[in-house]
Amino acid sequence: MKKLLVILMLGSLTACTMMGDIMPTGPDSYMISSVACPACGGTTKSISMALKGAGEFCANQGKHMLKIEMTNDKWFNEAGETVLEFRCLTEDHPEYIRAHEKRDTDIIIKHR
């Protein structure tokens, strides 16, 4: 009886997180989703799963992950889903190098 209880408990813990397939959405652009129940970390766990999955996917291609957009939905009792849109870019790609900096096109030059 104790063995059955332990097996059921372990099964419920491993089944409370799920990550979807990585889907291409454009050139070097992808989307991934993940879900986690409250007992497994909820929204925080779903975020980390999505980021880790995207990072590993890009690393397998010899590239780096650049987040485009991430949305989080909280469900009952902090269960959550994360949808992450990302790109896989080489480390010398202009968008990866300057992802969080002002770009030259953002600078206004005043001619007097």
Side-chain angles (χ1 to χ4, degrees), residues 54-75:
E56 289 174 353
F57 178 78
C58 292
N60 288 338
Q61 298 177 24
K63 297 180 179 181
H64 300 277
M65 188 269 293
L66 177 66
K67 178 183 70 132
I68 298 173
E69 185 176 347
M70 183 166 48
T71 56
N72 302 303
D73 289 328
K74 290 184 182 178
W75 299 338

Side-chain angles (χ1 to χ4, degrees), residues 15-27:
C16 69
T17 62
M18 185 176 73
M19 191 158 50
D21 294 334
I22 295 176
M23 305 297 297
T25 59

Side-chain angles (χ1 to χ4, degrees), residues 25-99:
T25 59
D28 297 319
S29 300
Y30 305 90
M31 180 183 291
I32 188 172
S33 64
S34 59
V35 178
C37 72
C40 294
T43 305
T44 303
K45 179 67 174 181
S46 71
I47 292 169
S48 65
M49 287 172 48
L51 290 170
K52 182 179 179 184
E56 289 174 353
F57 178 78
C58 292
N60 288 338
Q61 298 177 24
K63 297 180 179 181
H64 300 277
M65 188 269 293
L66 177 66
K67 178 183 70 132
I68 298 173
E69 185 176 347
M70 183 166 48
T71 56
N72 302 303
D73 289 328
K74 290 184 182 178
W75 299 338
F76 175 74
N77 204 18
E78 292 299 315
E81 174 187 28
T82 299
V83 177
L84 172 65
E85 295 179 61
F86 65 98
R87 295 188 69 193
C88 292
L89 303 173
T90 58
E91 66 180 32
D92 61 343
H93 192 284
E95 286 185 43
Y96 181 75
I97 293 170
R98 300 171 60 146

Side-chain angles (χ1 to χ4, degrees), residues 4-19:
L4 179 61
L5 184 59
V6 169
I7 291 171
L8 289 174
M9 287 176 59
L10 289 175
S12 67
L13 287 176
T14 58
C16 69
T17 62
M18 185 176 73
M19 191 158 50

